[in-house]
Amino acid sequence: MTGLLASATPAGQKRAAFRAGLGSGRIQRLPGAFDPLVARLIQEIGFEGVYVSGAVVSAELALPDIGLTTLGEVAERGRQIARVTDLPVLVDADTGFGEPMNAARTVTLLEDAGLAGCHIEDQVNPKRCGHLDGKAVVPVEDMVRRLRAAVAARRDPDFVVCARTDARGTEGLAAAIDRAKAYADAGADLIFTEALADAAEFARFRAAVRIPLLANMTEFGKSELLSAQALEDLGYNAVIYPVTTLRLAMYAVEQGLREIDRTGTQAALLGTMQHRSRLYELLRYEQYNAFDAGVFNFTVSE
């Protein structure tokens, strides 16, 4: 039964593993999971962690990524995903959902949900997608207060507080580096700089900032898509693929629905579907059956 209904790995152990991974010299790869079943697949394939994207949580609710989701919605989705995997889960906490006190409460709820860490950004609240134009960032001092509140609120010192800066697109690379240094001084464990353009900018950022760095390899955005090995060679400690699995799934769903609409049947789509047997394997039907048989092994007499 261990690990069947929920991960057998305690949250504290996952957080310690994430911290150790960030300091290991090997890049930690965190694909985005749009639901718990995807998180289970990420673990099975052998990645080092799981990411929960704010853009994806918004999209699942048919909302744009402009700060419309609530802390409760994000924490609950994170909890559902963290529950099923032994891997550390990093979650997008947007701007901390308000003022510094809100950022502090955000950290406590995400800790309670079993997450290994979160990132908080320096955009004006409400925020927008980091690869859109027209963003605005708060003064450095305001973001420093957010981070200090978040760091002070955590009860597990292994919970990773990541500071994201969106200043590259608004103030330039040098200003983003200066912000990253200030955020590190405020207690951030990890720095995430959004929308760096290419390998040269990633390298310049690495050379300037002393603490672990996270790269965002999102599709159709402003950043060159670099391989995990290339990022590791540049000295990056973690990489996220935030929306990849959702984009893959939604493309397949749309193509399939259009085929059914056009032909009246899904028969031609069977070769592109996950087979029932593979789904049952991921859901661990056999283990549930064995557990059920072991529990309900009695008879009722008159």
Side-chain angles (χ1 to χ4, degrees):
M1 183 58 183
T2 301
L4 188 59
L5 292 169
S7 168
T9 304
Q13 190 171 324
K14 297 178 194 179
R15 292 171 191 145
F18 189 36
R19 278 199 178 266
L22 292 174
S24 68
R26 298 188 60 188
I27 195 160
Q28 304 298 290
R29 303 164 301 158
L30 287 75
F34 60 82
D35 68 13
L37 190 60
V38 174
R40 182 167 286 175
L41 185 58
I42 288 168
Q43 176 176 330
E44 182 179 297
I45 289 173
F47 290 94
E48 291 77 32
V50 178
Y51 179 66
V52 179
S53 161
V56 167
V57 174
S58 296
E60 285 187 304
L61 297 171
L63 295 171
D65 183 22
I66 54 173
L68 295 175
T69 52
T70 67
L71 170 56
E73 288 168 332
V74 172
E76 176 60 15
R77 200 51 165 161
R79 184 194 66 78
Q80 292 169 343
I81 288 171
R83 178 184 64 82
V84 303
T85 179
D86 297 314
L87 297 177
V89 179
L90 176 70
V91 65
D92 179 355
D94 284 352
T95 60
F97 299 98
E99 299 305 315
M101 188 63 72
N102 300 95
R105 184 164 187 261
T106 293
V107 167
T108 63
L109 291 185
L110 296 179
E111 273 193 314
D112 290 344
L115 282 303
C118 70
H119 63 74
I120 296 173
E121 65 202 57
D122 57 7
Q123 281 199 53
V124 171
N125 191 35
K127 53 75 59 80
R128 65 176 60 204
C129 173
H131 287 257
L132 294 178
D133 295 323
K135 297 183 295 182
V137 292
V138 299
V140 173
E141 297 77 15
D142 290 356
M143 179 60 174
V144 165
R145 282 193 287 271
R146 282 181 194 171
L147 289 171
R148 285 178 176 163
V151 170
R154 65 183 172 194
R155 292 149 292 173
D156 184 345
D158 281 331
F159 184 90
V160 171
V161 175
C162 175
R164 167 177 149 176
T165 179
D166 284 70
R168 168 62 186 90
T170 61
E171 300 177 347
L173 185 62
I177 289 172
D178 288 342
R179 281 177 174 264
K181 291 177 179 178
Y183 301 164
D185 289 342
D189 306 297
L190 178 66
I191 298 291
F192 166 11
T193 305
E194 184 66 293
L196 292 175
D198 52 27
E201 289 199 356
F202 280 96
R204 184 175 166 190
F205 214 90
R206 175 70 283 174
V209 179
R210 57 180 173 79
I211 69 171
L213 295 179
L214 178 146
N216 180 13
M217 290 291 101
T218 194
E219 305 84 13
F220 316 117
K222 296 181 180 294
S223 297
E224 175 187 359
L225 294 181
L226 304 173
S227 71
Q229 186 61 60
L231 289 165
E232 181 177 303
D233 292 344
L234 286 168
Y236 276 71
N237 307 84
V239 56
I240 55 172
Y241 307 92
V243 195
T244 307
T245 59
L246 179 69
R247 288 187 173 122
L248 289 167
M250 286 303 296
Y251 181 86
V253 167
E254 182 173 352
Q255 296 304 305
L257 291 175
R258 293 189 183 281
E259 171 72 12
I260 294 169
D261 179 58
R262 184 177 65 83
T263 67
T265 177
Q266 74 274 46
L269 299 170
L270 297 181
T272 66
M273 291 185 185
Q274 182 183 65
H275 197 277
R276 181 198 301 266
S277 61
R278 176 58 177 144
L279 176 61
Y280 284 5
E281 183 179 49
L282 279 175
L283 293 174
R284 302 174 181 171
Y285 260 68
E286 287 190 8
Q287 292 96 316
Y288 276 95
N289 186 58
F291 173 71
D292 186 62
V295 172
F296 297 102
N297 60 356
F298 57 88
T299 57
V300 179
S301 59
E302 293 295 333

